[in-house]
Amino acid sequence: MSLHTESIAPGVQLHTLPADKFNRCRLSIHFRFAAARPAATDHALLPLVLERGYSACPDMTALSRKLARLYGADLTVATFMQGACRALSVSVTGIKDEFALEGEHLSAEYAALAFGVAFEPYFENGEFSAEAVNIEKATLARQLESEINDKRLYCVRQAQRRFFGDSPAGVARDGYLEDLPAVTPASLTAAYKDILRTASIDVMVLGMDEAAVRAKLASALEGLRREPAPLPSFLAMPAVPAQHFEEKLDLVQAKLCMLFTMGRPADPEELDAYRMAMCVFGGLPSSRLFLNVREKQSLCYYCASRITAASGCMMVDSGVEPANAEKAEAAILAELEKLLEGPIAPEELENARLALASSLAGVGDSLASMENWYFGEIMRGGRVSTAEEAAARLETIGADKVRDILCRFTLSVSYLVTQKEEIHG
């Protein structure tokens, strides 16, 4: 199962992937561009507004009817971050042409829908609808205001704010509540048009009539002013003395987030080794953090590690009893030190390999997971590997490589969200 990539125009790539075993197909249009703090809230709002309709289906009712007529096709518009790069994605999934009851050319319909949403949004007087913008601003405001209700997520994001500071890699995916009042139909339209002009565009076709997609892509690009900008390089935060932060809230279970840096982004060629290292350290029920910090010492309710390769950051987050927070942090650091200085048992490595191999074997189980894998490979740069190739490389990763990976990280930020002290009258 391999990806075929073709350059269509400067900054525009067409990627096709066989999906013969599925009765469904998928088309996605990904815009990639540099994350920017001033426009972050406009960028966060765009998916919500774009998903409401487009020029041929100007409201949610018309769009819902369109999707229903296409045998219940799915439309999603989303944004996500990878390091200092943001992506805006429009995806349509539906049944393949050969399963249409009346022989409809569904690929052409899906392509018209996806490219319509991406390139032909519904405008009023040359701008996004003021009503749509105001409705979705309220939606985004509720989302941002509710962050604190999920204490685990809140702790992680607070730690990341301290870790990244003003770095482009720290731009918030969901924007900023304080910036929402300044977002207008005019500012949102300007942000959207800037994306059309400067973004790299990746069109991914899975199991769909490629000719229909090509025709819509050519039409979308025709007459469009394009000045593709270079994508930002991956960047990492420098190693600094560890900083500790504490915030007291009304809660029972404290949350601890520890962020480590290695001072440089992960090399794409070493990602398999980073995955293995995370599984051994804290990514599995057989990992050191789970077995020793959670089970043997009973210092936390959960404790897991993961890496963000683009920013060279390792995160360990855990839920702890407020009284055990300091002990839990010390135990986490002790387990990392033991991995660096002591033996790593063969069964630890084997458990990590089996878990990763199982996960990689599941890449081909759905269109979405296939696309996620290959688009992740594209975004990381370098040679695009198949999941099968990645699984085979796991056999070459031993204890010395895991140790080499883990020794690169130093603690930068520890953020604790804990219980307010009780006041006894």
Side-chain angles (χ1 to χ4, degrees), residues 27-32 76-78 87-92 110-119 196 200-205 213 216-217 220 371 375:
L27 167 64
S28 293
I29 305 161
H30 300 287
F31 299 90
R32 290 189 285 155
T76 58
V77 187
L88 174 69
S89 303
V90 177
S91 300
V92 174
Y110 299 146
L113 175 58
F115 283 99
V117 170
F119 290 92
L196 289 189
S200 291
I201 302 173
D202 294 277
V203 179
M204 303 197 71
V205 184
V213 176
K216 291 298 180 183
L217 176 58
E371 180 185 340
F375 189 53

Side-chain angles (χ1 to χ4, degrees), residues 71 97-106:
Y71 299 91
D97 290 351
E98 55 263 40
F99 298 104
L101 296 178
E102 298 180 6
E104 302 99 318
H105 190 195
L106 294 175

Side-chain angles (χ1 to χ4, degrees), residues 121-129 185-186 188-190 192-193:
Y122 174 64
F123 282 167
E124 293 177 350
N125 300 317
E127 297 178 347
F128 284 105
S129 159
L188 193 65
T189 303
Y192 166 75
K193 289 184 176 179

Side-chain angles (χ1 to χ4, degrees), residues 105 143 187 262 277 279 320 358 373 383 394:
H105 190 195
Q143 178 182 329
S187 72
M262 62 178 184
C279 285
V320 301
S358 176
W373 171 265
R383 180 181 176 274
L394 296 175

Side-chain angles (χ1 to χ4, degrees), residues 20-308:
D20 298 334
K21 72 176 185 178
F22 299 100
N23 60 12
R24 294 172 68 79
C25 57
R26 183 177 174 92
L27 167 64
S28 293
I29 305 161
H30 300 287
F31 299 90
R32 290 189 285 155
F33 51 96
R37 173 63 177 84
T41 308
D42 287 281
H43 292 156
L45 189 64
L46 262 175
L48 302 177
V49 175
L50 289 173
E51 206 168 32
R52 294 179 63 89
Y54 63 108
S55 59
C57 293
D59 56 49
M60 296 179 72
T61 300
L63 182 58
S64 295
R65 287 173 177 167
K66 175 78 171 178
L67 293 168
R69 286 196 299 271
L70 295 175
Y71 299 91
D74 296 317
L75 167 70
T76 58
V77 187
T79 184
F80 62 92
M81 308 287 294
Q82 187 186 53
C85 184
R86 183 187 280 270
L88 174 69
S89 303
V90 177
S91 300
V92 174
T93 306
I95 64 171
K96 288 181 175 177
D97 290 351
E98 55 263 40
F99 298 104
L101 296 178
E102 298 180 6
E104 302 99 318
H105 190 195
L106 294 175
S107 291
E109 295 274 10
Y110 299 146
L113 175 58
F115 283 99
V117 170
F119 290 92
E120 301 170 12
Y122 174 64
F123 282 167
E124 293 177 350
N125 300 317
E127 297 178 347
F128 284 105
S129 159
E131 179 184 16
V133 171
N134 288 333
I135 289 172
E136 298 307 335
K137 281 176 65 174
T139 301
L140 184 57
R142 289 192 296 271
Q143 178 182 329
L144 291 169
E145 289 166 347
S146 68
E147 177 189 285
I148 198 169
N149 296 330
D150 183 337
K151 298 301 188 293
R152 181 177 185 177
L153 175 63
Y154 176 75
C155 182
V156 167
R157 289 187 174 175
Q158 287 289 81
Q160 290 172 334
R161 288 168 185 135
R162 301 306 189 280
F163 180 81
F164 288 110
D166 295 330
S167 165
V171 173
R173 183 199 66 182
D174 298 327
Y176 300 86
L177 188 61
E178 64 268 26
D179 292 353
L180 258 180
V183 174
T184 64
S187 72
L188 193 65
T189 303
Y192 166 75
K193 289 184 176 179
D194 188 63
I195 291 171
L196 289 189
R197 181 175 60 85
T198 64
S200 291
I201 302 173
D202 294 277
V203 179
M204 303 197 71
V205 184
L206 292 83
M208 192 177 290
D209 180 359
E210 187 181 332
V213 176
R214 283 178 178 276
K216 291 298 180 183
L217 176 58
S219 177
L221 295 175
E222 186 177 356
L224 185 66
R225 180 188 168 202
R226 288 277 297 156
E227 298 173 359
L231 291 170
S233 300
F234 292 154
L235 55 88
M237 304 310 295
V240 296
Q243 302 176 77
H244 287 76
F245 302 91
E246 183 175 310
E247 184 174 356
K248 296 183 184 295
L249 297 174
D250 287 322
L251 49 74
V252 175
Q253 184 187 115
K255 309 297 179 183
L256 174 65
C257 181
M258 302 167 65
L259 295 179
F260 301 73
T261 186
M262 62 178 184
R264 62 178 177 83
D267 185 339
E269 302 303 317
E270 291 187 306
L271 285 179
D272 306 299
Y274 280 98
R275 295 183 184 116
M276 281 279 287
M278 290 306 102
C279 285
V280 171
F281 180 41
L284 296 174
S286 60
S287 69
R288 292 287 182 94
L289 293 183
F290 189 94
L291 290 179
N292 297 332
V293 180
R294 182 185 187 275
E295 295 294 294
K296 291 182 180 178
Q297 300 180 64
S298 300
L299 287 174
C300 56
Y301 299 98
Y302 60 86
C303 190
S305 67
R306 56 184 180 272
I307 184 174
T308 304

